[in-house]
Amino acid sequence: MSESRIDMPPYCKHIKGKHYGTEIDDWVDGYFKYLKSTEPWNYDFENGKEKYLENTDYEQSILSQLIFIEIFKSQKLSADICECGLSITVNKGTVKKTFLFDVMHNPKRGCQPCQQAILNNYNGGKMQFENIYHCVGNFAPIPRTIISKNYGPRLQQIHEYLNELWPCLLKFMQDNWMCFPTDIYELMSFKEYMKYSCQQMYYERIFNKLYCIYNASENKTDNIWDKIIRELSNIVIDEQDRLISFDNLLKKSDIKMIEEIDKRITFLIELRGRFIIYLLKKHHFTTL
């Protein structure tokens, strides 16, 4: 990373005993300081101790909540904190739904590519994307729902059951979007969700186009990233677009496969993080 965050206090710090209403102005100030910092996409929420409480997760932090609230607002939706350090509400007209947060590519013990990295001693058993997995490009709002009306796991648990593979969870959500008992479809379609949450690059056609630009450049400079972001900002998800999949790569189970999956995940996290920051700066500061 370009700057160390280990000793700096979090941008949105909760002081024990203080009420949400007395802290929100300080949190908003912290959010704007984050946005104006050097390479905010690369900010490590773990190193910055960006937690609401000790028993909450970095992806659920106040800073993460504010980032995605503003992302939704930038696309003409209304959004607000529902539960500090846990959830936000998003509404359009009279329809309001609650969203939780998840780490998209999580190097837990059950993560299939990470297991393969250990078995094959790839990079000392550690994937490169693990260096940025607590950055904003790897956090996603997901609907607060269970898979059936009266019982069932949350989507975070489904993600874990699917070997922590984000493309698999996206496919599960796409296939079940109209069936979730919280009726999330009343607020947005699945493709709208993908746009609103800045996940366009998880569609095969869009990913291939942007990844080709990335691979064609020997030096991954800011100019190349600017070109990729400009391209992405002009792409519209088509009705026939299909989600990406790692299935074919995972069948190979060798070093080259692990290296390619690692490269793709690292690319996706950085691209999405940079795109989120681009949209937020465009929303708040200037016409880009």
Side-chain angles (χ1 to χ4, degrees):
M1 289 191 176
S2 60
E3 54 182 318
S4 175
R5 298 292 190 182
I6 294 175
D7 298 321
M8 81 171 284
Y11 285 108
C12 300
K13 182 177 177 61
H14 168 59
I15 299 172
K16 190 174 181 180
K18 290 196 75 174
H19 186 267
Y20 155 77
T22 66
E23 294 187 292
I24 187 64
D25 289 344
D26 290 338
W27 292 341
V28 170
D29 287 344
Y31 160 77
F32 280 108
K33 288 177 182 176
Y34 159 79
L35 208 53
K36 294 176 181 178
S37 67
T38 304
E39 293 193 323
W41 74 267
N42 205 13
Y43 173 59
D44 189 312
F45 281 56
E46 182 178 19
N47 285 348
K49 299 180 174 64
E50 206 70 51
K51 280 188 173 185
Y52 180 66
L53 297 172
E54 280 303 310
N55 63 345
T56 56
D57 295 319
Y58 300 107
E59 68 272 19
Q60 300 169 322
S61 65
I62 296 296
L63 179 56
S64 178
Q65 289 181 301
L66 292 178
I67 287 168
F68 287 102
I69 282 171
E70 294 301 326
I71 282 293
F72 283 122
K73 285 182 176 179
S74 74
Q75 299 173 89
K76 312 303 181 186
L77 296 167
S78 298
D80 206 349
I81 290 176
C82 178
E83 300 163 275
C84 292
L86 182 63
S87 63
I88 62 174
T89 55
V90 179
N91 58 289
K92 182 166 57 178
T94 59
V95 180
K96 179 186 289 189
K97 302 296 178 183
T98 305
F99 284 76
L100 299 171
F101 293 86
D102 203 1
V103 170
M104 300 165 77
H105 304 280
N106 198 334
K108 289 182 178 177
R109 186 175 299 175
C111 176
Q112 189 172 350
C114 293
Q115 288 177 336
Q116 293 295 331
I118 293 169
L119 288 171
N120 290 276
N121 196 29
Y122 164 77
N123 193 41
K126 183 178 180 181
M127 303 284 273
Q128 294 286 350
F129 83 83
E130 294 182 47
N131 295 321
I132 55 171
Y133 94 96
H134 273 137
C135 296
V136 68
N138 201 33
F139 297 164
I142 56 173
R144 185 176 200 165
T145 188
I146 53 177
I147 61 171
S148 62
K149 192 167 185 179
N150 298 312
Y151 71 95
R154 294 173 288 107
L155 290 176
Q156 293 99 322
Q157 293 169 302
I158 295 292
H159 187 199
E160 190 171 350
Y161 300 157
L162 293 170
N163 296 320
E164 299 289 348
L165 294 170
W166 190 251
C168 292
L169 181 67
L170 289 177
K171 183 67 166 60
F172 177 86
M173 287 199 289
Q174 176 183 258
D175 292 347
N176 293 279
W177 196 258
M178 300 298 292
C179 308
F180 289 140
T182 48
D183 299 331
I184 184 64
Y185 64 86
E186 293 178 349
L187 179 69
M188 61 184 74
S189 68
F190 178 75
K191 281 189 166 63
E192 286 174 327
Y193 161 75
M194 294 295 284
K195 175 181 179 292
Y196 293 149
S197 58
C198 304
Q199 297 188 70
Q200 297 96 318
M201 65 287 298
Y202 282 84
Y203 282 102
E204 191 175 79
R205 173 182 63 89
I206 299 171
F207 172 82
N208 288 342
K209 185 172 188 176
L210 303 177
Y211 197 50
C212 182
I213 298 172
Y214 178 79
N215 285 328
S217 172
E218 192 170 320
N219 298 312
K220 315 305 182 188
T221 62
D222 285 343
N223 287 338
I224 293 302
W225 281 110
D226 289 345
K227 180 180 179 180
I228 293 171
I229 294 298
R230 285 195 303 271
E231 191 72 39
L232 176 56
S233 65
N234 291 320
I235 293 176
V236 176
I237 300 170
D238 291 337
E239 191 59 38
Q240 66 271 23
D241 274 330
R242 298 184 304 174
L243 293 167
I244 65 168
S245 171
F246 295 151
D247 289 353
N248 287 335
L249 285 170
L250 287 169
K251 289 175 184 176
K252 298 178 183 178
S253 188
D254 58 21
I255 289 288
K256 285 187 177 180
M257 171 279 291
I258 300 165
E259 184 176 21
E260 180 58 27
I261 288 182
D262 195 12
K263 183 180 174 184
R264 291 187 184 199
I265 292 174
T266 302
F267 169 74
L268 285 163
I269 293 174
E270 181 166 355
L271 170 59
R272 184 166 173 270
R274 286 177 179 270
F275 188 53
I276 286 169
I277 299 305
Y278 165 83
L279 291 177
L280 290 175
K281 288 185 174 181
K282 183 178 179 181
H283 174 51
H284 290 299
F285 303 135
T286 185
T287 302
L288 300 177

PDB file of all heavy atoms in Angstrom, residues 113-127:
ATOM      1  N   PRO A 113     -10.230 -21.433  -3.586  1.00  0.00           N
ATOM      2  CA  PRO A 113      -8.933 -21.049  -4.157  1.00  0.00           C
ATOM      3  C   PRO A 113      -7.831 -20.950  -3.100  1.00  0.00           C
ATOM      4  O   PRO A 113      -6.674 -21.309  -3.369  1.00  0.00           O
ATOM      5  CB  PRO A 113      -9.219 -19.675  -4.790  1.00  0.00           C
ATOM      6  CG  PRO A 113     -10.682 -19.678  -5.052  1.00  0.00           C
ATOM      7  CD  PRO A 113     -11.283 -20.455  -3.923  1.00  0.00           C
ATOM      8  N   CYS A 114      -8.179 -20.486  -1.904  1.00  0.00           N
ATOM      9  CA  CYS A 114      -7.175 -20.376  -0.836  1.00  0.00           C
ATOM     10  C   CYS A 114      -6.730 -21.753  -0.361  1.00  0.00           C
ATOM     11  O   CYS A 114      -5.555 -21.958  -0.033  1.00  0.00           O
ATOM     12  CB  CYS A 114      -7.730 -19.549   0.322  1.00  0.00           C
ATOM     13  SG  CYS A 114      -8.009 -17.820  -0.102  1.00  0.00           S
ATOM     14  N   GLN A 115      -7.646 -22.704  -0.333  1.00  0.00           N
ATOM     15  CA  GLN A 115      -7.280 -24.084   0.002  1.00  0.00           C
ATOM     16  C   GLN A 115      -6.290 -24.628  -1.018  1.00  0.00           C
ATOM     17  O   GLN A 115      -5.298 -25.271  -0.660  1.00  0.00           O
ATOM     18  CB  GLN A 115      -8.538 -24.967   0.026  1.00  0.00           C
ATOM     19  CG  GLN A 115      -9.469 -24.726   1.200  1.00  0.00           C
ATOM     20  CD  GLN A 115     -10.723 -25.586   1.098  1.00  0.00           C
ATOM     21  OE1 GLN A 115     -11.132 -26.008   0.017  1.00  0.00           O
ATOM     22  NE2 GLN A 115     -11.349 -25.835   2.231  1.00  0.00           N
ATOM     23  N   GLN A 116      -6.566 -24.350  -2.306  1.00  0.00           N
ATOM     24  CA  GLN A 116      -5.678 -24.825  -3.367  1.00  0.00           C
ATOM     25  C   GLN A 116      -4.305 -24.158  -3.280  1.00  0.00           C
ATOM     26  O   GLN A 116      -3.276 -24.778  -3.565  1.00  0.00           O
ATOM     27  CB  GLN A 116      -6.308 -24.549  -4.740  1.00  0.00           C
ATOM     28  CG  GLN A 116      -7.558 -25.350  -5.030  1.00  0.00           C
ATOM     29  CD  GLN A 116      -7.283 -26.837  -5.123  1.00  0.00           C
ATOM     30  OE1 GLN A 116      -6.195 -27.258  -5.489  1.00  0.00           O
ATOM     31  NE2 GLN A 116      -8.273 -27.656  -4.777  1.00  0.00           N
ATOM     32  N   ALA A 117      -4.282 -22.881  -2.869  1.00  0.00           N
ATOM     33  CA  ALA A 117      -3.008 -22.165  -2.717  1.00  0.00           C
ATOM     34  C   ALA A 117      -2.147 -22.822  -1.651  1.00  0.00           C
ATOM     35  O   ALA A 117      -0.924 -22.969  -1.809  1.00  0.00           O
ATOM     36  CB  ALA A 117      -3.271 -20.703  -2.366  1.00  0.00           C
ATOM     37  N   ILE A 118      -2.778 -23.248  -0.560  1.00  0.00           N
ATOM     38  CA  ILE A 118      -2.047 -23.914   0.520  1.00  0.00           C
ATOM     39  C   ILE A 118      -1.556 -25.286   0.070  1.00  0.00           C
ATOM     40  O   ILE A 118      -0.389 -25.654   0.266  1.00  0.00           O
ATOM     41  CB  ILE A 118      -2.946 -24.041   1.769  1.00  0.00           C
ATOM     42  CG1 ILE A 118      -3.248 -22.646   2.346  1.00  0.00           C
ATOM     43  CG2 ILE A 118      -2.282 -24.917   2.835  1.00  0.00           C
ATOM     44  CD1 ILE A 118      -4.325 -22.630   3.408  1.00  0.00           C
ATOM     45  N   LEU A 119      -2.445 -26.048  -0.590  1.00  0.00           N
ATOM     46  CA  LEU A 119      -2.084 -27.397  -1.041  1.00  0.00           C
ATOM     47  C   LEU A 119      -0.952 -27.385  -2.056  1.00  0.00           C
ATOM     48  O   LEU A 119      -0.094 -28.270  -2.065  1.00  0.00           O
ATOM     49  CB  LEU A 119      -3.317 -28.086  -1.645  1.00  0.00           C
ATOM     50  CG  LEU A 119      -4.409 -28.523  -0.670  1.00  0.00           C
ATOM     51  CD1 LEU A 119      -5.641 -28.991  -1.414  1.00  0.00           C
ATOM     52  CD2 LEU A 119      -3.894 -29.630   0.251  1.00  0.00           C
ATOM     53  N   ASN A 120      -0.928 -26.360  -2.916  1.00  0.00           N
ATOM     54  CA  ASN A 120       0.087 -26.278  -3.974  1.00  0.00           C
ATOM     55  C   ASN A 120       1.251 -25.362  -3.616  1.00  0.00           C
ATOM     56  O   ASN A 120       2.118 -25.111  -4.453  1.00  0.00           O
ATOM     57  CB  ASN A 120      -0.571 -25.797  -5.278  1.00  0.00           C
ATOM     58  CG  ASN A 120      -1.483 -26.826  -5.900  1.00  0.00           C
ATOM     59  OD1 ASN A 120      -1.046 -27.704  -6.625  1.00  0.00           O
ATOM     60  ND2 ASN A 120      -2.771 -26.720  -5.612  1.00  0.00           N
ATOM     61  N   ASN A 121       1.227 -24.874  -2.370  1.00  0.00           N
ATOM     62  CA  ASN A 121       2.280 -23.955  -1.901  1.00  0.00           C
ATOM     63  C   ASN A 121       2.462 -22.767  -2.851  1.00  0.00           C
ATOM     64  O   ASN A 121       3.578 -22.346  -3.147  1.00  0.00           O
ATOM     65  CB  ASN A 121       3.618 -24.690  -1.720  1.00  0.00           C
ATOM     66  CG  ASN A 121       4.599 -23.879  -0.876  1.00  0.00           C
ATOM     67  OD1 ASN A 121       4.194 -23.087  -0.010  1.00  0.00           O
ATOM     68  ND2 ASN A 121       5.885 -24.039  -1.120  1.00  0.00           N
ATOM     69  N   TYR A 122       1.349 -22.255  -3.331  1.00  0.00           N
ATOM     70  CA  TYR A 122       1.374 -21.066  -4.192  1.00  0.00           C
ATOM     71  C   TYR A 122       1.646 -19.828  -3.348  1.00  0.00           C
ATOM     72  O   TYR A 122       0.951 -19.571  -2.369  1.00  0.00           O
ATOM     73  CB  TYR A 122       0.038 -20.934  -4.924  1.00  0.00           C
ATOM     74  CG  TYR A 122      -0.211 -19.565  -5.535  1.00  0.00           C
ATOM     75  CD1 TYR A 122       0.423 -19.188  -6.718  1.00  0.00           C
ATOM     76  CD2 TYR A 122      -1.072 -18.652  -4.923  1.00  0.00           C
ATOM     77  CE1 TYR A 122       0.197 -17.939  -7.278  1.00  0.00           C
ATOM     78  CE2 TYR A 122      -1.303 -17.408  -5.479  1.00  0.00           C
ATOM     79  CZ  TYR A 122      -0.669 -17.049  -6.652  1.00  0.00           C
ATOM     80  OH  TYR A 122      -0.893 -15.807  -7.198  1.00  0.00           O
ATOM     81  N   ASN A 123       2.662 -19.061  -3.688  1.00  0.00           N
ATOM     82  CA  ASN A 123       2.982 -17.815  -3.012  1.00  0.00           C
ATOM     83  C   ASN A 123       3.059 -18.001  -1.492  1.00  0.00           C
ATOM     84  O   ASN A 123       2.575 -17.174  -0.721  1.00  0.00           O
ATOM     85  CB  ASN A 123       1.927 -16.748  -3.359  1.00  0.00           C
ATOM     86  CG  ASN A 123       2.344 -15.344  -2.957  1.00  0.00           C
ATOM     87  OD1 ASN A 123       3.507 -14.962  -3.119  1.00  0.00           O
ATOM     88  ND2 ASN A 123       1.416 -14.579  -2.410  1.00  0.00           N
ATOM     89  N   GLY A 124       3.663 -19.101  -1.079  1.00  0.00           N
ATOM     90  CA  GLY A 124       3.771 -19.376   0.356  1.00  0.00           C
ATOM     91  C   GLY A 124       2.448 -19.707   1.009  1.00  0.00           C
ATOM     92  O   GLY A 124       2.295 -19.603   2.234  1.00  0.00           O
ATOM     93  N   GLY A 125       1.476 -20.115   0.190  1.00  0.00           N
ATOM     94  CA  GLY A 125       0.165 -20.490   0.718  1.00  0.00           C
ATOM     95  C   GLY A 125      -0.770 -19.319   0.933  1.00  0.00           C
ATOM     96  O   GLY A 125      -1.818 -19.469   1.560  1.00  0.00           O
ATOM     97  N   LYS A 126      -0.434 -18.146   0.387  1.00  0.00           N
ATOM     98  CA  LYS A 126      -1.272 -16.962   0.572  1.00  0.00           C
ATOM     99  C   LYS A 126      -1.566 -16.313  -0.766  1.00  0.00           C
ATOM    100  O   LYS A 126      -0.653 -15.994  -1.529  1.00  0.00           O
ATOM    101  CB  LYS A 126      -0.583 -15.951   1.492  1.00  0.00           C
ATOM    102  CG  LYS A 126      -1.423 -14.721   1.796  1.00  0.00           C
ATOM    103  CD  LYS A 126      -0.718 -13.779   2.751  1.00  0.00           C
ATOM    104  CE  LYS A 126      -1.556 -12.554   3.043  1.00  0.00           C
ATOM    105  NZ  LYS A 126      -0.885 -11.598   3.961  1.00  0.00           N
ATOM    106  N   MET A 127      -2.848 -16.098  -1.053  1.00  0.00           N
ATOM    107  CA  MET A 127      -3.249 -15.440  -2.292  1.00  0.00           C
ATOM    108  C   MET A 127      -2.906 -13.952  -2.230  1.00  0.00           C
ATOM    109  O   MET A 127      -2.988 -13.323  -1.167  1.00  0.00           O
ATOM    110  CB  MET A 127      -4.755 -15.604  -2.504  1.00  0.00           C
ATOM    111  CG  MET A 127      -5.246 -17.045  -2.522  1.00  0.00           C
ATOM    112  SD  MET A 127      -4.871 -17.921  -4.050  1.00  0.00           S
ATOM    113  CE  MET A 127      -6.293 -17.472  -5.047  1.00  0.00           C
TER     114      MET A 127
END
